[in-house]
Amino acid sequence: RDGGYIDRTYIGTTLRDKNVNRSDIYGARADVLFTPTDALSIRVTGFLQEIARDGDSSANANAAGVLVAGLAQQRSMREPFDQSFRLVSGTIMYDFANASLISVSGYQQTRSDLNFDFTATYNPLLAARGFVYSAAGLHYDVNTERFTQEVRLASTGTRKLEWQIGG
């Protein structure tokens, strides 16, 4: 847990959230190596992380950069941030007499879910055109997935000609 120090007040209310930039972070890592023979090895590695917090570490400041309410922010809506990260990779190595075969596979998944309060920026523009809202915000839900694969065959030992081929 990362301790928080920014408080949030909500415009037009007496509501106050304390330590909105406090983060709860959980993670794990595993690394397993299996060697069924002297020539063959299989390694699988995994990593995961979860991050959750109620807001960012920004505080309200005036045009001169002076904090207007100490270590606090004024918002019209909550700005939570949640992120999940997963990474798994596998490596298979086989040692032939004069060459080694290596295959590396990887999979990564990231999910980010966050909100931004744009009330101070957009509500005056919208109100000037006759649209009145209590808050204006933007929700991001970003997900990425990646898979990579590499296979290569390379000469082993010290020779006049060393070679490697792969893709």
Side-chain angles (χ1 to χ4, degrees), residues 4-16:
Y5 52 88
I6 299 290
D7 294 344
R8 179 188 302 130
T9 59
Y10 293 94
I11 297 170
T13 73
T14 58
L15 295 175
R16 183 177 190 91

Side-chain angles (χ1 to χ4, degrees), residues 21-166:
N21 63 320
R22 177 177 56 207
S23 295
D24 291 324
I25 303 169
Y26 301 95
R29 182 178 183 280
D31 191 349
V32 178
L33 175 63
F34 178 60
T35 53
T37 68
D38 288 342
L40 177 64
S41 68
I42 302 167
R43 176 174 293 237
V44 178
T45 303
F47 173 80
L48 66 91
Q49 185 175 47
E50 299 282 337
I51 302 172
R53 69 174 178 256
D54 290 330
D56 63 19
S57 297
S58 65
N60 286 58
N62 62 20
V66 177
L67 296 177
V68 295
L71 293 175
Q73 54 185 229
Q74 292 181 318
R75 299 291 191 265
S76 295
M77 60 181 17
R78 295 183 184 278
E79 295 178 304
F81 171 84
D82 294 301
Q83 187 174 63
S84 296
F85 180 78
R86 307 282 186 271
L87 177 64
V88 178
S89 66
T91 303
I92 300 173
M93 296 176 61
Y94 191 84
D95 188 9
F96 295 102
N98 296 319
S100 63
L101 178 66
I102 301 170
S103 173
V104 181
S105 304
Y107 175 75
Q108 175 188 328
Q109 180 185 48
T110 305
R111 183 192 58 79
S112 300
D113 187 18
L114 57 155
N115 291 325
F116 291 104
D117 182 3
F118 290 122
T119 304
T121 303
Y122 289 108
N123 271 17
L125 297 171
L126 294 169
R129 288 166 179 75
F131 301 102
V132 179
Y133 296 98
S134 61
L138 184 59
H139 175 80
Y140 284 103
D141 188 12
V142 181
N143 297 301
T144 60
E145 290 186 61
R146 293 182 181 103
F147 177 78
T148 60
Q149 175 65 51
E150 175 186 355
V151 178
R152 68 180 177 265
L153 183 65
S155 62
T156 57
T158 304
R159 304 191 170 129
K160 289 184 179 183
L161 176 65
E162 295 179 7
W163 54 270
Q164 178 173 290
I165 187 168

